[in-house]
Amino acid sequence: MATIVGLDVGTSKIACLVGETDEERRDGRLRIAGVGIVPSRGIKKGAIVNLDEAAGVIEAAVDKAERTSGREITNCYVGVAGAHIAALNSRGTVSISRSDHLVEAEDVTRALESARTIAIPHSQEVIHVVPRGYWLDNENGVRDPVGLHGYRLEVEAHIVTAAATALQTTEKCVNQAGVQVDGFVLEPLASGEAVLKEDETELGVVLADIGGGTTDISIFLEGSIWHTISLPVGGYHFSHDLAVGLQCPLAVAEDLKIRYGHASPDDVTDDSPIEVSSFGDSPLRGLTRHDIAEILSHRVLDIFDLILREMKRSGYDGLLPAGIVFCGGSAQLVGLRETARAYFGLPVRVAAPQNLAGLVDVLGTPAYATSVGLLHWGLRHDRAKLRRRTRGAVSQRARDSTAPMSASWLERLRALLGPLLPD
């Protein structure tokens, strides 16, 4: 039984999940053993702006997850997003110099390290080196070169960096909750683990995670991530637009968005009046759902414009037959899927985590794609580390088994030739 902990430090909520999976179970479902969800404080647009407040809510989420799971949480994988995230693509090349020219796991590691050796600002820190594809002796299309034979191994990798200060601040908050960070995970990668299908990532798809303070856009192609960016606009801006347009408190605007919000005023058929508490003495009268949709639609189209711009900037806009998959809490806005389908002219779906067991009452919605994805990422990453250690141990045993034979052969050769050699 493998156990993993994911911590989603978001603008609107902090979610700490404890997951486990039984390797012997045929269905392979992830079981949620513990859940701790609390509203965020001290976090804005994916970045921590108040250390003490953020540390306090993280500790509260961890405490809830411990109580519901009955386990002590000591380590976790932490999701990161925000405008400080940057990404670029790089290539690395190594030679396979051993006599049998068999590619081993350590050769893949060396190639990825070579790709990682690029000039980045001192303020940035590499958090991911994701292989996009391998070339073995100039033959492309290699998914896993380990076990193949060749002279030259080349990898193309997607390098993701984050601001070092942002990572340090986040780690400090997590440490104050008594938990160590196993690793930082880019939130679009985590979300993709939870909601994307294999055919989508293979053929080409855009994942748009509209969270509380950011919209994370990533493009997957040929089974790997090819482009990613985090934009400082999200669900908070929907509520803010309503608060400004209707001259009402943010809490009231948030409630209106959830209860009456719609992405397109043209598709709203209910014109019954809504009474809204506004600033001042008198409530707003004569307000309808159409009026709310009119305000929200401008922000929806603004986000669509940004997504389309990134699709074109990436150069892969014509290579995405699987279309766009939306997730994140704000992707639940009524009418968003239909509006997006008309805007982009591509297949569109709004996705939520699937195939879960255990404490899943609140997790089967698009808002928890990142939270659940962190568990999937952590489990897959831990298994990959175990496989690399196993492969390395097998290779080392093979080398060790030949070493005594070689030494013994050299000793016999010296004994035979000794009398013939001059003193």
Side-chain angles (χ1 to χ4, degrees):
M1 184 77 71
T3 302
I4 208 79
V5 178
L7 181 64
D8 179 9
V9 183
T11 302
S12 59
K13 69 181 182 306
I14 306 293
C16 182
L17 304 185
V18 180
E20 57 186 25
T21 182
D22 191 340
E23 302 292 347
E24 297 180 358
R25 286 181 61 171
R26 293 185 178 181
D27 59 10
R29 288 202 298 172
L30 178 67
R31 181 178 180 276
I32 307 299
V35 178
I37 301 170
V38 298
S40 285
R41 293 207 323 267
I43 301 169
K44 187 176 182 181
K45 296 182 181 179
I48 294 174
V49 295
N50 187 307
L51 185 68
D52 292 335
E53 286 188 349
V57 292
I58 289 174
E59 185 174 5
V62 170
D63 181 63
K64 283 189 175 183
E66 286 183 328
R67 285 189 280 110
T68 55
S69 67
R71 294 170 173 81
E72 182 184 4
I73 296 175
T74 58
N75 299 76
C76 68
Y77 286 90
V78 181
V80 292
H84 63 93
I85 299 294
L88 69 161
N89 300 316
S90 175
R91 288 199 176 196
T93 306
V94 295
S95 297
I96 313 301
S97 56
R98 61 183 65 89
S99 60
D100 59 3
H101 297 286
L102 180 69
V103 180
E104 297 182 355
E106 64 184 51
D107 299 313
V108 176
T109 300
R110 289 193 299 118
L112 289 172
E113 286 297 325
S114 175
R116 181 176 179 153
T117 309
I118 54 175
I120 61 173
H122 294 299
S123 59
Q124 293 290 108
E125 182 177 325
V126 175
I127 58 173
H128 291 299
V129 182
V130 183
R132 289 171 47 172
Y134 296 94
W135 285 258
L136 192 58
D137 295 342
N138 295 321
E139 290 291 331
N140 63 2
V142 178
R143 289 295 178 87
D144 185 1
V146 176
L148 303 179
H149 294 267
Y151 289 86
R152 184 171 179 268
L153 176 65
E154 186 175 3
V155 62
E156 184 173 18
H158 190 64
I159 313 294
V160 181
T161 68
T165 53
L167 298 181
Q168 291 165 2
T169 301
T170 302
E171 185 167 16
K172 185 175 182 180
C173 287
V174 176
N175 291 161
Q176 285 187 16
V179 182
Q180 300 298 312
V181 177
D182 277 333
F184 290 103
V185 183
L186 181 67
E187 290 188 359
L189 280 175
S191 300
E193 293 277 341
V195 301
L196 292 182
K197 301 175 182 178
E198 186 175 347
D199 285 349
E200 290 172 335
T201 60
E202 186 67 31
L203 293 174
V205 68
V206 177
L207 177 64
D209 186 343
I210 309 177
T214 63
T215 295
D216 302 319
I217 303 167
S218 47
I219 294 176
F220 292 81
L221 188 65
E222 296 179 5
S224 185
I225 191 167
W226 287 62
H227 179 79
T228 183
I229 190 170
S230 186
L231 303 172
V233 58
Y236 166 80
H237 297 82
F238 290 136
S239 302
H240 182 268
D241 291 349
L242 283 176
V244 172
L246 302 178
Q247 298 179 345
C248 66
L250 273 170
V252 173
E254 179 71 16
D255 182 63
L256 289 173
K257 179 186 71 174
I258 295 172
R259 294 175 61 188
Y260 305 108
H262 200 289
S264 173
D266 295 336
D267 296 329
V268 175
T269 57
D270 181 9
D271 276 340
S272 55
I274 302 169
E275 189 170 292
V276 179
S277 299
S278 64
F279 292 111
D281 297 331
S282 303
L284 286 174
R285 300 186 183 278
L287 182 70
T288 66
R289 190 175 183 183
H290 183 279
D291 298 324
I292 295 173
E294 185 71 41
I295 295 173
L296 292 176
S297 65
H298 294 289
R299 182 64 68 175
V300 169
L301 293 178
D302 180 47
I303 291 177
F304 288 174
D305 286 343
L306 293 173
I307 294 172
L308 183 60
R309 185 181 69 183
E310 286 304 317
M311 290 168 62
K312 293 181 179 296
R313 194 169 72 87
S314 72
Y316 306 120
D317 53 308
L319 303 171
L320 304 168
I324 302 174
V325 175
F326 287 94
C327 64
S330 297
Q332 298 175 95
L333 182 66
V334 177
L336 184 135
R337 180 180 58 187
E338 293 76 14
T339 306
R341 189 179 292 133
Y343 180 92
F344 292 102
L346 291 170
V348 174
R349 71 183 181 95
V350 177
Q354 302 292 325
N355 203 28
L356 300 175
L359 305 174
V360 297
D361 291 345
V362 298
L363 302 180
T365 69
Y368 293 96
T370 297
S371 308
V372 174
L374 286 170
L375 300 181
H376 285 293
W377 175 275
L379 287 167
R380 188 164 65 85
H381 183 72
D382 283 359
R383 288 176 186 145
K385 285 195 294 186
L386 179 60
R387 285 196 299 270
R388 286 195 295 269
R389 285 198 297 267
T390 302
R391 285 172 172 173
V394 170
S395 300
Q396 186 61 47
R397 284 199 297 271
R399 287 193 290 268
D400 291 345
S401 66
T402 61
M405 295 176 60
S406 300
S408 176
W409 170 251
L410 288 174
E411 290 297 328
R412 285 195 299 243
L413 184 62
R414 289 193 188 97
L416 289 171
L417 298 179
L420 303 177
L421 295 174
D423 294 335

